[in-house]
Amino acid sequence: MYTRFTGLSAFPLTPLHDDVVDEAAFAGLIERLVAAGVDSITALGSTGSYAYLTPEERARVARLTVEHAGATPVFVGVGGLRTSHVLAHVDSAEDAGAAGILLAPMTYQALTPDDVFELYRTVTEHTQLPVIVYDNPGTTHFTFTTDLYARIAQLPGIVSIKIPGVPTDPGKAREHVAGIRAVIPEHVTIGVSGDAFAATGLNAGCEAWYSVIGGTLPEPALAITRAAQAGDFEDAVAESERLAPLWALFAEYGGSLRVTAAIAEHLGLTPQQCLPLPIQGLTGEQRARVADVVDQLGLA
Amino acid sequence: MYTRFTGLSAFPLTPLHDDVVDEAAFAGLIERLVAAGVDSITALGSTGSYAYLTPEERARVARLTVEHAGATPVFVGVGGLRTSHVLAHVDSAEDAGAAGILLAPMTYQALTPDDVFELYRTVTEHTQLPVIVYDNPGTTHFTFTTDLYARIAQLPGIVSIKIPGVPTDPGKAREHVAGIRAVIPEHVTIGVSGDAFAATGLNAGCEAWYSVIGGTLPEPALAITRAAQAGDFEDAVAESERLAPLWALFAEYGGSLRVTAAIAEHLGLTPQQCLPLPIQGLTGEQRARVADVVDQLGLA
């Protein structure tokens, strides 16, 4: 069965300007992704600042994405701290014409595995939309176990699991992905995230890459993805290693978001200071280093 | 100078019933705190589920608290993920007649110390209300340093710092509190939290206790507080040790919130299942143990 929950899913930023969503800049990002030929677009992922936006802003961003995405499938992040709020985001994603939804178990108070299972159960009962399980412990501070993946993946409507990276050793990465694959239904795809791990993850059997950098620099992300899909594992690794200076900045500057925003700002794709306060983004000196790397890698 | 940012500040639950704030139950909780004689009430703390409520619910809860608190000062939690949302919560707390606000640096993306400093600077510039710095790494996943306490405490309007517990050894606790005291202005009080640490913290020089259990069981919390304030340090410790079975349940069941909600439900102060989903609260077996402890300690 052909499923769209494979290949490169690009996660665009949701740029703000003076605390208001810059709709023109956002539409430009989406059109850029479509032109590059990404396999899907996931709006309102962590990269798209879903957790910071109002329900109205999120509904509007979902609609804008579908409007500008043409035939490219659009997935929409629907996470929230309260189950009833999540269901409202699901409704607005459905109204917008999303092809799927992405759900992370956001926490303020720590959640139990049963809390999280019930959240997914409630959502899959509420909607016909395919659901991607979004495991992002760096932001949610919730840790999935393989057992919990297995329980949730049995729910009707679950189509994919976005996992947070893989071991860097190729053999260990294959083992890790195979361990998850063994306990989930065949139709549920596994998607790697953590851009620096993408080539290893795809080579290890992940069918998708849920990609931060792919939302802003789709071509180099597609080069990695297409090489891995063609079985050219060494080429995938080489394409990823070419971007090592970028992965180093992600690690040094506390993650991908601020660096990716600085890249988008450097390339003029978004306004300056496009992240929601209190996130100030990189300092001037850090931005200069990001710009150097982008220019030296010929990504501009 | 007399300041109200001392003594027992009681943190009531915000009980929900079928995903709607139970206003009658909430008003009852507030009146119970006033009758017991707590020094202040902090509505919409972590115990009050601020992070889960809509801006409208939060404005309504702030107003209800002030309406039912009589002469007891009311502080209101104003935290949020986005600075502009925090400012809106500040405005609604002001409109409600709050005597102060409590601000935790909520995170989804990790924040830098500069991000957090700027958040407090923006808020203190925006309002005349006194601001309590809310350091709650268990929920915010942001770690304050003593240096950052010092920077933020210099801001005009900062009146208190709610610290997350103290070392259990009384000498080390005194050292810890003295270390913070040494770098912040004299008028800024230090308040302990983590109820099991309260007696040790008050004995070590904390001027306030920001108390979860005090919001539901004010009398035993007042007994600890008044003993410590009178210099009867051994009595304060004895009153706290009497509650050791309760502190053990907090530790065993992943924190104070679910246990406190189960106590309030057991005492008929709130509806059953009063926490916001996806937080399911304790299981039936766990609730039975909580009820046993409450009954055996004569807290009913």
Side-chain angles (χ1 to χ4, degrees), chain B residues 88-168:
Chain B
H89 301 318
V90 171
D91 291 345
S92 68
E94 235 174 55
D95 292 346
I101 54 179
L102 178 79
L103 175 58
M106 275 181 76
T107 65
Y108 181 74
Q109 300 286 347
L111 295 177
T112 68
D114 282 345
D115 291 339
V116 170
F117 177 79
E118 276 301 305
L119 172 65
Y120 283 96
R121 199 192 54 72
T122 304
V123 167
T124 53
E125 272 193 0
H126 179 82
T127 182
Q128 295 297 314
L129 282 179
V131 176
I132 304 164
V133 176
Y134 190 179
D135 178 1
N136 196 4
T139 55
T140 65
H141 303 283
F142 179 81
T143 302
F144 281 87
T145 60
T146 304
D147 276 357
L148 185 59
Y149 283 159
R151 276 179 77 195
I152 292 173
Q154 305 301 324
L155 291 166
I158 301 290
V159 293
S160 188
I161 302 175
K162 175 181 184 296
I163 65 171
V166 291
T168 46

Side-chain angles (χ1 to χ4, degrees), chain A residues 181-196:
Chain A
R181 171 54 57 212
V183 299
I184 64 175
E186 203 181 344
H187 69 272
V188 176
T189 66
I190 301 171
V192 66
S193 65
D195 288 346

